[in-house]
């Protein structure tokens, strides 16, 4: 009498959800989304710094910063990324909705042979890597476009969100020998702070928003080891309330 009970218990155990499989799928999904976020952040940083004639590699930016840049890309495009992600996520469950099931059943769908279905599955497996590469390329391109939009917005506002910086170089600094007049310009607060990373200061020069000519933004990378003191002005001159 115990054998049938054991046999009836087997299908229930076999039909139980595999939490290990769900955890693996969730881990892969999080890893894939993190990689896309990192690629988008890299594209943003690369294009943003290129607007100031700077490179990503030479500044020694920590890898965690690219995730932050990717977050900026997502928040800047949240108005269409979220609806698009919801549609893609719900598309596989479309046939489960009653109204969609009725429409699908009422429509005369063509019947494909087993060979055609097998070839379609094979083509899908072949095209899947290309689709993944396309997603990464799209994330990278979206990051670059977001950086261009951000640069145009900040330029129109006179880069008022970037603090003015006064830098006093050391007496034995090589700045005066390599670029005459540069220590005086740095001490006069003519530069803005773009980023401080990897033992260097990335600075750029921004003209006031009401300058009669188009602003120019020559950049400068100063090693922190060459600096004796630094003063930041959160609200640069000409950027206060009017």
């Amino acid at each position: 009498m115990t054998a049938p009970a054991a046999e009836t218990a087997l299908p229930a155990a076999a039909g139980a959800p595999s939490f290990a499989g769900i955890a693996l799928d969730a881990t892969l999904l999080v890893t894939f989304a993190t990689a896309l976020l990192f690629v988008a952040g890299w594209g943003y940083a690369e294009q943003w710094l290129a607007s100031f004639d700077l490179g990503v590699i030479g500044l020694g930016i920590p890898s965690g910063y690219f995730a932050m840049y990717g977050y900026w890309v997502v928040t800047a495009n949240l108005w269409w990324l979220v609806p698009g992600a919801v549609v893609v996520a719900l598309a596989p469950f479309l046939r489960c909705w009653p109204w969609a099931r009725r429409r699908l059943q009422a429509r005369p769908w063509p019947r494909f042979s087993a060979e055609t279905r097998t070839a379609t599955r094979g083509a899908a497996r072949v095209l899947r890597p290309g689709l993944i590469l396309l997603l990464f390329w799209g994330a990278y391109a979206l990051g670059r476009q977001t950086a261009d939009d951000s640069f145009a917005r900040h330029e129109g506002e006179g880069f008022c969100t970037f603090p003015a910086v006064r830098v006093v170089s050391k007496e034995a600094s090589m700045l005066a020998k390599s670029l005459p007049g540069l220590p005086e310009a740095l001490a006069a607060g003519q530069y803005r702070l773009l980023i401080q990373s990897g033992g260097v200061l990335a600075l750029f020069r921004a003209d006031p928003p009401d300058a009669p000519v188009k602003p120019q933004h020559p950049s400068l990378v100063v090693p922190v080891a060459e600096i004796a003191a630094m003063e930041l002005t959160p609200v640069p001159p000409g950027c206060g309330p009017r």
Side-chain angles (χ1 to χ4, degrees):
M1 297 297 292
T2 58
E7 292 177 358
T8 56
L10 288 177
S18 175
F19 294 101
I22 295 176
L24 179 60
D25 292 341
T27 302
L28 292 176
L29 181 61
V30 171
T31 302
F32 184 71
T34 303
L36 286 176
L37 193 71
F38 183 88
V39 171
W42 180 276
Y44 181 95
E46 188 177 64
Q47 185 65 18
W48 171 257
L49 293 175
S51 302
F52 298 92
D53 296 325
L54 295 173
V56 177
I57 303 299
L59 296 179
I61 300 176
S63 58
Y65 279 38
F66 297 108
M68 179 184 67
Y69 296 147
Y71 173 76
W72 291 354
V73 174
V74 172
T75 54
N77 299 275
L78 205 61
W79 62 274
W80 67 268
L81 281 179
V82 170
V86 171
V87 170
V88 172
L90 295 182
F93 304 99
L94 181 63
R95 61 182 181 179
C96 300
W97 297 347
W99 65 270
R101 190 187 305 114
R102 289 194 299 268
R103 290 184 63 88
L104 292 174
Q105 292 175 352
R107 185 170 181 175
W109 296 96
R111 295 184 178 181
F112 299 100
S113 62
E115 293 80 5
T116 303
R117 291 195 295 268
T118 302
T120 302
R121 295 191 188 98
R125 286 193 293 269
V126 172
L127 295 176
R128 193 174 301 161
L131 178 60
I132 293 175
L133 291 177
L134 184 63
L135 286 175
F136 278 101
W137 178 86
Y140 175 78
L142 182 62
R144 292 178 64 91
Q145 181 60 47
T146 305
D148 284 336
D149 297 340
S150 179
F151 181 83
R153 183 178 69 256
H154 283 292
E155 187 177 38
E157 297 172 354
F159 295 97
C160 287
T161 57
F162 294 84
V165 57
R166 294 180 58 197
V167 176
V168 179
S169 59
K170 295 181 179 178
E171 294 183 0
S173 175
M174 297 296 295
L175 295 178
K177 298 180 181 180
S178 58
L179 296 173
L182 180 60
E184 291 76 13
L186 291 174
Q190 299 178 4
Y191 283 83
R192 307 278 183 89
L193 178 62
L194 180 61
I195 186 173
Q196 179 178 356
S197 174
V200 298
L201 295 178
L203 311 175
F204 69 98
R205 193 164 180 169
D207 295 333
D210 55 352
V213 297
K214 184 178 180 180
Q216 301 296 322
H217 317 297
S219 58
L220 179 67
V221 178
V222 180
V224 177
E226 301 288 332
I227 297 175
M230 180 177 65
E231 180 186 27
L232 296 178
T233 303
V235 182
C239 291
R242 299 183 180 181

